[in-house]
Amino acid sequence: MKESQGELNYFRIAEAIGFIRENRHEQPGLEAVAEAVNMSPYHFQRVFKEWAGVTPKHFLKYLNVEYAKRILKETHASLFDTAHEVGLSGTGRLHDLFVTVEGMTPGEYKNGGENLFINYSFASTPFGDILIASTPKGICSMEFADDHMEAFNSLQRKFPRARYCQMCDTIQQNALFIFTQDWSKLTEIKLHLKGTDFQLKVWEALLKIPMGGMTTYEEIATKIDNPRACRAVGTAIGENPVAYLIPCHRVIRASGEIGNYHWGEIRKNAIIGWEASKIKI
């Protein structure tokens, strides 16, 4: 499958971010990063700004541990309170207010999706291709798909008895507006998820983290009234079936370090920096 220019740019940016992370202590300049990805400084700066909306130097500060610590400190008191805001007039608003979660019935959960009809399609995002899948009730899966066949096989493993049709329906289209930030077209997004009661509770808590905000595993555990369950919270976050819509990328370590991500640490860094570049600091 031929890659779009946007996808090619993301992979270049991902390579650059990997270089920056590996050489963080040296704080590499524009020329060094551009040389590492075999681009001229001028071309690299232009491509990077087109993708992120800011210069590489500005973007780098969003990836620093110090920045993550500052965000935690500044948003700690009102991190979840912002979920009560209304209106989606700008990129700093909490679009996740429009996301509701519905767990599958015990029968659907246990029988591997028997009698479920699932539509699926592939789409381009600023962070690479994704596979997005939906039932008549909502989005049931969304994951980054660097390998399309493996992504579809992963979906089938989740719902081995479901019936599949490759098509992009209205439910999927509504969800995909989240990447373009076209607030005028964003309608209510519903998720139809396969998970335990504990997992659903954790995923619902993640939906309340505002764009550009961050939280920790410990804070999530406290918010679901189970402060000693940090390890279990981490496991539930790692099993998030809906990339980006459920923003598990906004959970970092208490130290301020970015930490792991199911779809790759470099991608997590890219998403955090990209989101931060879209709001006022």
Side-chain angles (χ1 to χ4, degrees):
M1 183 176 179
K2 189 176 181 180
E3 295 172 324
S4 68
Q5 188 61 45
E7 289 176 281
L8 289 172
N9 286 345
Y10 163 71
F11 290 119
R12 288 173 175 169
I13 300 309
E15 185 180 357
I17 290 171
F19 176 80
I20 291 171
R21 290 178 69 244
E22 292 173 4
N23 299 274
R24 187 190 302 274
H25 295 297
E26 287 75 28
Q27 293 291 292
L30 175 65
E31 290 77 11
V33 180
E35 182 179 358
V37 295
N38 298 313
M39 297 173 69
S40 70
Y42 173 81
H43 185 52
F44 173 67
Q45 171 119 329
R46 183 175 63 81
V47 169
F48 199 107
K49 191 167 184 179
E50 286 177 355
W51 180 84
V54 294
T55 65
K57 181 177 181 180
H58 196 192
F59 188 89
L60 177 58
K61 81 173 185 178
Y62 299 141
L63 302 185
N64 289 336
V65 172
E66 291 74 17
Y67 170 74
K69 288 180 177 178
R70 181 162 66 86
I71 289 293
L72 278 174
K73 182 178 180 181
E74 292 179 356
T75 64
H76 182 82
S78 60
L79 186 61
F80 286 87
D81 292 339
T82 54
H84 299 294
E85 288 187 41
V86 293
L88 298 174
S89 59
T91 57
R93 295 289 184 175
L94 184 56
H95 56 260
D96 304 298
L97 282 173
F98 276 73
V99 182
T100 57
V101 177
E102 177 179 334
M104 294 189 176
T105 65
E108 291 170 331
Y109 184 89
K110 291 178 181 178
N111 65 12
E114 187 175 4
N115 298 324
L116 275 182
F117 292 87
I118 297 178
N119 294 332
Y120 74 95
S121 62
F122 294 93
S124 297
T125 79
F127 317 106
D129 282 0
I130 59 167
L131 183 153
I132 182 168
S134 58
T135 72
K137 293 182 179 180
I139 301 298
C140 63
S141 180
M142 189 162 82
E143 61 178 270
F144 290 103
D146 297 327
D147 182 320
H148 284 203
M149 184 59 69
E150 174 52 35
F152 180 64
N153 289 340
S154 175
L155 176 64
Q156 287 185 307
R157 287 193 292 270
K158 295 175 186 175
F159 306 100
R161 298 183 182 179
R163 299 181 184 182
Y164 294 91
C165 177
Q166 186 169 3
M167 65 171 290
C168 184
D169 56 29
T170 302
I171 292 174
Q172 295 172 27
Q173 291 172 355
N174 286 339
L176 292 172
F177 286 134
I178 200 170
F179 292 107
T180 62
Q181 297 180 2
D182 189 346
W183 309 112
S184 65
K185 294 184 179 181
L186 187 64
T187 58
E188 184 175 351
I189 301 171
K190 290 187 177 180
L191 305 177
H192 188 205
L193 303 181
K194 175 182 177 180
T196 65
D197 290 342
F198 181 82
Q199 288 173 330
L200 292 174
K201 189 178 293 186
V202 170
W203 298 338
E204 285 183 305
L206 295 178
L207 290 172
K208 297 177 182 177
I209 308 172
M211 183 177 181
M214 296 179 193
T215 190
T216 65
Y217 300 99
E218 292 83 356
E219 196 170 47
I220 292 290
T222 298
K223 289 298 179 181
I224 64 171
D225 298 320
N226 205 336
R228 296 184 180 180
C230 294
R231 187 180 296 272
V233 164
T235 299
I237 290 173
E239 293 174 350
N240 169 27
V242 185
Y244 198 84
L245 271 177
I246 294 180
C248 56
H249 57 274
R250 296 174 191 161
V251 182
I252 64 177
R253 296 171 182 165
S255 64
E257 296 180 20
I258 298 300
N260 297 327
Y261 186 53
H262 179 75
W263 292 282
E265 290 185 39
I266 289 179
R267 183 173 271 126
K268 181 175 182 177
N269 276 272
I271 293 173
I272 288 174
W274 184 80
E275 286 191 343
S277 72
K278 303 302 178 184
I279 65 173
K280 293 181 179 179
I281 304 302

